[in-house]
C-alpha cells in the first residue's frame, strides 16, 4: 500500500463517536453510467465465467448479486445439494456466518445515534460484574474496542458452550473470566469472535431484549429481509437451502461430494448465526450504502455509516478495520467488506460507497473463500474498473523465511512452514472443513517481509511473523488469526468443549 495513502487512512476518525458530526458523506463516483441493460450484460458475462470456474473447482453452486447505482442484478448457479436437482436461486438460503457481525455493529451504531449506547464507554461501566482474566484488559476495554479486534484475549470463546437456560449471552460474558490473554490489551490486531460475543451481550443489555429480537426488529423487518433469520435447528429446511459441501482439490467430481450440515449454536449468535439469501442481502447492502429502510425512511444516518465503514485501526498485512468491517484501500478509494465462514459454506459482502456499488457472494463449499474472492474481484473490475492489487513475491529469502519455519497452533486450524532444501512449504490442517485440506504449497516472501503462498487454492495469501509478549518471534498471523508456535504435529487439535468437539 502507498505509504502516503496509508498515513492518510490512519488519520481518519477512529473511536471518537462525536466525529460523526463533522464527517461528510462519500459522494458517488461518476462511474455509474451504465444503463440497466448494459449492466445486465456485464453481470451476465461475469456469471458465465463464474459458472465455468465453479465446475473446475468442484463447487456445487453459489448465488451472487450486485448493486451498481440504481440497478440490482442477481443469479443462482448450480444446485443446492449434491444428490438433488434443486437449483440455487437468489432466494436460496445460505448460512452467512461472520457477515452477521456487521448486523451487530450496525445495531450498535443505531443505539449510539439514539443516545442509549456510548461506544466510548468502558464495558465495566455498563456491566460492572464483567471480567476477563487480565485486569488491565478488564479495566480498559471500551465498547468500541470489542469491534476493533485489538483486545488481545483468546479469540474463539464464543464457540465454547455454556449451560442452557436464562440469558446465554450473559453466561458467555461470565465465562469470559477464564479467557486467556494472548497479547497485552490493544497491542496487536487479531480477529476475535470472543470480543463480538461480549459486544453481543452489551448491545442486548442496552436494548433490553435478546440480540436476535433486536436485529430482527431494527434491521431485518424494516429492510424487508423476510427470508433472513437466526436459526439453531438441528436439521436444515427441506427445500431451497444450500447444504454444506467438502472441498475437492485436484481430480474429482461434484457428484462425489457428501453434503453435510452443522447447526449454529446460540453462544455464537451475532458472531455468525444468521441465515439469509442473496435477494435479502442485496437489501442489506443497499441500506449500507444509503441508510434507508424498505419504505425509503432514513434508518441510519449517512454519517453513522461513514463512521462504521472508515478505517479505524490497522489490521493484518496492510489493511484496516472499521466498526468490525474490514477496510481495503484501492489507490485512494476505500472499500469495507466482511466474509463469513461456517463448515461447508462461505459468504462475502463488499461495498464501494464511492461507486454506489456492492457485491454479495454466497457459496456452499469449503472452497468458498477461494471462489468468492475471484467472483467479487471480477465483479468489481467489470462494474467499477477497479482492479485488486495482488501481492508480489520477491523470491525465497532465507533470512526472511527461516524464522517462519515451525508448527503454529490455532484454535481450530494449525499451520506449518517447512524448509525443504532451498524451498519453503506451507502446510494447513483445519477442523472447520470436511474432507481434505489443500496440498502443501510453496512459499516465498514479499518485500514487506510477509510470506506469500505461490500456488494452489491459497495462492496470494499472506502471513506475518509477530513477536510474542516476551519479544520472541513465536506468533504468525495468517488468515486474520494468530497461530502460536507449538509442539506436536500440525494435524493435532484440542477441540474439547467447542462446537467442533466430536
Amino acid at each position: 500500500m502507498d505509504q502516503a495513502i496509508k498515513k492518510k487512512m490512519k488519520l481518519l476518525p477512529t473511536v471518537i463517536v462525536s466525529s460523526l458530526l463533522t464527517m461528510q458523506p462519500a459522494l458517488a463516483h461518476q462511474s455509474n453510467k451504465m444503463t440497466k441493460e448494459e449492466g445486465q450484460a456485464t453481470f451476465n458475462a461475469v456469471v458465465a465465467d463464474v459458472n465455468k470456474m465453479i465446475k473446475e473447482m468442484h463447487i456445487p453452486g453459489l448465488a451472487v448479486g450486485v448493486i451498481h447505482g440504481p440497478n440490482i442484478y442477481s443469479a443462482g448457479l448450480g444446485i443446492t445439494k449434491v444428490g438433488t436437482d434443486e437449483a440455487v436461486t437468489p432466494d436460496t438460503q445460505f448460512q452467512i456466518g461472520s457477515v452477521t457481525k456487521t448486523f451487530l455493529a450496525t445495531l450498535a451504531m443505531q443505539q449510539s445515534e439514539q443516545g442509549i449506547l456510548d461506544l466510548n464507554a468502558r464495558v465495566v461501566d455498563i456491566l460492572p460484574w464483567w471480567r476477563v482474566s487480565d485486569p488491565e484488559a478488564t479495566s480498559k476495554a471500551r465498547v468500541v474496542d470489542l469491534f476493533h479486534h485489538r483486545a488481545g484475549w483468546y479469540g474463539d470463546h464464543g464457540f465454547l458452550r455454556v449451560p442452557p437456560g436464562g440469558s446465554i449471552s450473559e453466561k458467555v460474558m461470565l465465562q469470559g473470566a477464564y479467557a486467556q490473554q494472548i497479547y497485552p490489551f490493544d497491542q496487536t490486531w487479531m480477529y476475535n469472535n470472543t470480543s463480538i460475543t461480549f459486544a453481543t451481550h452489551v448491545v442486548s443489555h442496552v436494548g433490553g431484549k435478546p440480540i436476535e429480537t433486536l436485529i430482527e426488529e431494527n434491521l431485518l423487518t424494516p429492510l424487508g429481509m423476510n427470508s433472513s433469520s437466526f436459526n439453531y435447528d438441528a436439521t436444515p429446511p427441506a427445500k431451497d437451502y444450500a447444504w454444506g459441501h467438502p472441498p475437492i482439490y485436484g481430480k474429482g467430481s461434484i457428484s462425489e461430494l457428501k453434503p453435510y450440515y452443522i447447526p449454529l449454536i446460540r453462544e455464537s449468535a451475532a458472531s455468525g448465526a444468521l441465515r439469509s439469501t442473496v435477494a435479502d442481502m442485496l437489501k442489506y447492502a443497499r441500506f449500507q450504502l444509503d441508510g434507508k429502510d424498505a419504505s425509503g425512511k432514513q434508518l441510519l444516518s449517512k454519517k453513522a455509516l461513514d463512521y462504521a465503514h472508515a478505517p479505524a485501526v490497522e489490521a493484518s498485512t496492510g489493511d484496516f478495520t472499521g466498526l468490525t468491517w474490514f477496510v481495503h484501500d484501492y489507490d485512494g478509494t476505500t472499500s469495507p467488506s466482511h466474509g463469513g465462514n461456517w463448515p461447508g459454506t462461505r459468504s462475502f459482502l463488499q461495498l464501494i460507497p464511492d461507486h454506489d456499488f456492492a457485491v454479495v457472494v454466497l457459496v456452499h463449499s469449503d472452497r468458498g473463500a477461494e471462489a468468492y474472492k475471484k467472483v467479487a474481484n471480477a465483479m468489481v473490475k467489470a462494474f467499477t474498473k477497479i482492479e485488486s492489487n495482488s501481492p508480489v513475491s520477491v523470491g525465497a529469502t532465507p533470512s526472511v523465511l527461516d524464522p517462519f519455519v515451525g508448527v503454529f497452533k490455532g484454535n481450530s486450524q494449525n499451520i506449518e512452514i517447512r524448509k525443504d532444501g532451498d524451498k519453503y512449504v506451507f502446510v494447513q490442517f483445519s477442523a472447520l472443513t470436511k474432507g481434505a485440506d489443500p496440498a502443501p504449497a510453496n512459499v516465498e516472501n514479499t518485500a514487506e517481509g510477509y510470506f506469500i503462498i505461490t500456488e494452489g487454492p491459497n495462492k496470494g495469501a499472506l502471513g506475518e511473523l509477530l513477536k510474542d509478549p516476551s519479544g520472541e518471534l513465536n506468533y504468525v498471523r495468517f488468515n486474520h488469526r494468530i497461530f502460536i508456535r507449538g509442539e506436536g504435529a500440525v494435524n493435532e487439535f484440542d477441540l474439547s468443549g467447542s462446537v467442533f468437539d466430536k
Side-chain angles (χ1 to χ4, degrees):
M1 181 185 297
D2 182 89
Q3 292 302 309
I5 294 173
K6 188 170 181 179
K7 182 177 180 181
K8 180 180 178 182
M9 291 178 73
K10 284 184 177 180
L11 294 175
L12 286 173
T14 55
V15 300
I16 307 301
V17 180
S18 61
S19 65
L20 294 178
L21 299 175
T22 60
M23 292 186 67
Q24 297 299 315
L27 296 176
H29 193 277
Q30 295 302 310
S31 69
N32 303 322
K33 295 182 178 180
M34 287 185 185
T35 66
K36 186 172 184 179
E37 293 71 23
E38 289 170 337
Q40 188 67 63
T42 299
F43 181 80
N44 291 345
V46 176
V47 168
D49 290 338
V50 172
N51 199 30
K52 296 175 184 177
M53 179 198 74
I54 63 173
K55 292 175 181 177
E56 294 171 355
M57 294 175 63
H58 311 296
I59 290 173
L62 61 76
V64 57
V66 162
I67 292 173
H68 188 231
N71 302 316
I72 295 177
Y73 313 96
S74 62
L77 299 175
I79 54 176
T80 61
K81 181 183 179 184
V82 169
T84 75
D85 59 0
E86 183 182 53
V88 173
T89 75
D91 296 313
T92 298
Q93 289 188 319
F94 289 76
Q95 301 296 156
I96 68 166
S98 289
V99 179
T100 307
K101 292 177 172 68
T102 68
F103 286 77
L104 177 68
T106 302
L107 179 57
M109 287 306 307
Q110 288 179 312
Q111 292 181 339
S112 175
E113 285 209 311
Q114 294 162 9
I116 63 174
L117 177 62
D118 179 0
L119 296 181
N120 279 319
R122 296 187 308 159
V123 177
V124 291
D125 291 333
I126 299 172
L127 302 167
W129 48 265
W130 175 73
R131 297 286 185 276
V132 289
S133 62
D134 181 69
E136 181 180 14
T138 301
S139 174
K140 290 184 176 180
R142 298 166 301 165
V143 177
V144 73
D145 295 320
L146 302 179
F147 293 102
H148 283 165
H149 300 288
R150 288 185 61 90
W153 46 59
Y154 171 77
D156 283 331
H157 174 70
F159 293 125
L160 301 178
R161 292 189 179 275
V162 299
S167 169
I168 297 297
S169 61
E170 182 177 75
K171 292 178 182 179
V172 170
M173 295 232 28
L174 287 167
Q175 190 168 277
Y178 303 100
Q180 177 189 3
Q181 194 72 24
I182 296 173
Y183 260 113
F185 178 79
D186 200 32
Q187 180 173 303
T188 284
W189 186 94
M190 54 182 264
Y191 189 71
N192 204 291
N193 280 299
T194 300
S195 293
I196 300 301
T197 59
F198 292 161
T200 296
H201 186 70
V202 170
V203 172
S204 174
H205 172 80
V206 169
K209 297 178 181 179
I211 199 66
E212 296 91 341
T213 303
L214 290 172
I215 289 177
E216 179 180 353
E217 291 179 350
N218 291 279
L219 289 172
L220 302 184
T221 298
L223 297 178
M225 298 178 67
N226 300 323
S227 297
S228 303
S229 63
F230 288 88
N231 197 289
Y232 310 104
D233 288 351
T235 56
K239 294 182 179 180
D240 217 11
Y241 175 82
W243 281 66
H245 294 85
I248 294 176
Y249 300 105
K251 295 181 179 180
S253 169
I254 289 175
S255 63
E256 300 170 4
L257 295 171
K258 304 296 182 185
Y260 71 106
Y261 171 77
I262 295 179
L264 274 293
I265 60 174
R266 293 185 184 276
E267 286 84 347
S268 60
S271 293
L274 261 179
R275 181 183 293 172
S276 191
T277 68
V278 155
D280 270 9
M281 289 301 294
L282 287 170
K283 297 174 184 177
Y284 179 66
R286 174 66 76 192
F287 159 73
Q288 287 293 333
L289 293 172
D290 64 19
K292 296 178 181 178
D293 68 11
S295 69
K297 177 183 176 182
Q298 199 71 36
L299 192 62
L300 187 65
S301 74
K302 190 64 169 63
K303 292 178 182 178
L305 288 171
D306 287 346
Y307 171 83
H309 299 159
V313 298
E314 191 168 1
S316 58
T317 58
D319 277 347
F320 287 73
T321 302
L323 204 70
T324 208
W325 292 89
F326 293 90
V327 186
H328 182 71
D329 175 79
Y330 291 103
D331 293 329
T333 299
T334 58
S335 175
S337 68
H338 211 293
N341 178 346
W342 189 250
T345 185
R346 305 291 187 270
S347 64
F348 187 66
L349 168 61
Q350 181 177 4
L351 313 169
I352 306 182
D354 285 359
H355 288 257
D356 202 13
F357 172 89
V359 57
V360 178
V361 189
L362 306 179
V363 193
H364 57 313
S365 167
D366 282 322
R367 291 190 73 174
E370 181 187 359
Y372 73 56
K373 291 174 184 176
K374 293 179 179 179
V375 176
N377 286 341
M379 289 296 185
V380 168
K381 181 179 178 180
F383 281 95
T384 72
K385 312 307 179 188
I386 293 174
E387 289 194 58
S388 178
N389 296 321
S390 300
V392 177
S393 165
V394 295
T397 310
S399 61
V400 175
L401 294 177
D402 281 349
F404 282 100
V405 173
V407 173
F408 297 85
K409 299 293 184 82
N411 299 330
S412 53
Q413 302 176 68
N414 297 335
I415 64 174
E416 181 179 9
I417 304 293
R418 299 173 181 169
K419 189 170 185 178
D420 183 10
D422 59 352
K423 293 185 177 181
Y424 296 83
V425 178
F426 175 86
V427 181
Q428 178 182 15
F429 281 88
S430 175
L432 299 179
T433 64
K434 295 280 187 179
D437 287 282
N442 285 332
V443 169
E444 296 182 357
N445 60 275
T446 70
E448 296 81 8
Y450 307 141
F451 76 67
I452 180 171
I453 300 174
T454 59
E455 60 183 350
N458 286 314
K459 184 177 180 180
L462 303 175
E464 303 171 83
L465 190 63
L466 306 174
K467 293 180 180 179
D468 66 17
S470 70
E472 299 296 324
L473 293 171
N474 285 327
Y475 288 178
V476 164
R477 184 162 55 198
F478 174 75
N479 195 24
H480 309 309
R481 310 291 179 125
I482 296 288
F483 296 82
I484 301 175
R485 194 184 301 273
E487 302 295 330
V490 68
N491 60 348
E492 294 178 357
F493 296 95
D494 180 8
L495 302 175
S496 58
S498 77
V499 66
F500 309 110
D501 187 3
K502 299 181 180 63

